[in-house]
Amino acid sequence: MVTISKDVRVRFAPSPTGNLHIGGLRAALFNWLFAKNNNGTFLIRIEDTDKERSTQEYVNSIIDALAWMKIKSDEPLHIQSEFEQKHREFLQKLITENKAYKCFCSTEELVKRLGDGTNIKYDLCCRDQACDDSDKRPYVVRFKIPDNIENVTFTDLIRGTITIARDQLDDFIIARSDGSPVYNFVVVIDDAAMKINYVSRGEEHLGNTVKQILLYEALGFEQPAWAHLPLILNPEGGKLSKRDGAVSVVEYKKDGYLPDALLNYLVRLGWSHGDQEVFTREELIKFFSLNAVGSSGAIFDIEKLDWLNGVYIRSMSADDLLSYI
Ligand code: GLU
């Protein structure tokens, strides 16, 4: 049972490396409804630190798609790249405190020593060698999993207690060889700076959450509560992808779906309120609760979306429908 004990501050944090995906919109929507249901604050953070793949065009397209759904940030947009200096300062702090270390092992050396499979763990070669700052070879920065940690346990508001054993953990990379900190690091600095106290995002982020919890502890920040939303699946039970039809929100707009119908449809992918299928926006805000979000994958059913869209179209006045067309 989720009991809300604080002033809720949540965020949706898209990376502008593509158009808004239907799964991203569902995460935005759940966070927005959770905030509104609790008289809390909903924020949008643009995670644009991947400079090669992020574009202003995608930032605009994501914000437009959210605005089309009438989902807006309650405070000015937080643009992650504007806080780069701060990210680097905290990175240096962890190195100075010996909670992170420079790793000079090149990819070629690692492949030679450990092979090139996907689940290879770092052999800690650089971990206990004192860092030689005069070394001019390129290096990445790795987080030092504290010696006294036996496992990482946390409460997921949807899934209950989750425990990850130490042997599943690796001294993971927190900054690339060009000095730029990676997603798992900057997200912790920004969430703490923005005073986010509930982080709800897709189940595919569970592995990231474990790393972020360790970073919260190392940095001495207060952790948010965590919730991992069920995956959106195709009718065969696989991960929803382009092959299953449109995955980007703008395509639904172009195809003539009404934003309220899409919103109503998406909220039912993982959340329920008795047998009710059609909800006004006010009802959604009133009824939404993380307690009623399930943990198993939700099947994306385009026929049900078409049916709901029909319900919404038929309920519109002729004038409203005409102006929408
Ligand atoms: N930028 C990340 C993504 O789009 C954010 C994930 C998160 O919510 O922490 O997947």
Side-chain angles (χ1 to χ4, degrees), residues 91-92 94-105 122 125-137 139-142 144:
L91 185 68
Q92 191 50 50
L94 283 192
I95 298 176
T96 309
E97 292 175 357
N98 202 19
K99 292 176 177 167
Y101 60 94
K102 296 177 182 176
C103 170
F104 296 93
C105 301
Y122 179 55
C125 173
C126 293
R127 179 174 169 133
D128 292 318
Q129 291 169 12
C131 290
D132 176 3
D133 275 331
S134 63
D135 199 325
K136 291 283 174 274
R137 285 180 298 156
Y139 62 85
V140 296
V141 178
R142 288 185 184 270
K144 200 179 226 179

Side-chain angles (χ1 to χ4, degrees), residues 11-16 27 31 45-47 80 183 187 191 199-202 204-205 208 212:
R11 53 42 167 203
F12 172 56
S15 304
N31 276 291
R45 179 171 72 231
I46 300 293
E47 302 212 317
Q80 191 159 61
Y183 156 75
V187 83
D191 278 341
V199 169
S200 304
R201 56 189 172 200
E204 65 278 13
H205 285 289
N208 291 328
Q212 291 169 24

Side-chain angles (χ1 to χ4, degrees), residues 15-17 46-56 58 80-81 84 176 178 180-183 186:
S15 304
T17 52
I46 300 293
E47 302 212 317
D48 59 344
T49 43
D50 179 346
K51 296 201 179 68
E52 272 166 30
R53 293 170 57 227
S54 301
T55 68
Q56 188 57 40
Y58 285 135
Q80 191 159 61
S81 58
E84 261 179 44
R176 306 175 187 90
D178 64 2
S180 60
V182 305
Y183 156 75
V186 288

Side-chain angles (χ1 to χ4, degrees), residues 178-242:
D178 64 2
S180 60
V182 305
Y183 156 75
N184 274 315
F185 187 78
V186 288
V187 83
V188 170
I189 307 296
D190 286 2
D191 278 341
M194 292 164 74
K195 301 195 169 21
I196 300 301
N197 47 21
Y198 288 83
V199 169
S200 304
R201 56 189 172 200
E203 187 186 328
E204 65 278 13
H205 285 289
L206 262 171
N208 291 328
T209 299
V210 176
K211 294 176 181 167
Q212 291 169 24
I213 287 173
L214 289 166
L215 287 167
Y216 269 94
E217 284 169 3
L219 291 158
F221 296 155
E222 191 184 338
Q223 257 186 72
W226 307 98
H228 293 88
L229 310 173
L231 293 176
I232 301 182
L233 306 173
N234 65 23
E236 287 76 46
K239 195 166 179 261
L240 188 71
S241 74
K242 275 215 158 101

Side-chain angles (χ1 to χ4, degrees), residues 64 67 106 138 167 188 282 300 315:
D64 286 354
S106 67
D167 63 11
V188 170
E282 292 67 35
F300 191 88
S315 73

Side-chain angles (χ1 to χ4, degrees), residues 103-113 126 137-138:
C103 170
F104 296 93
C105 301
S106 67
T107 313
E108 294 72 36
E109 280 163 20
L110 289 175
V111 170
K112 211 159 140 197
R113 285 207 310 268
C126 293
R137 285 180 298 156

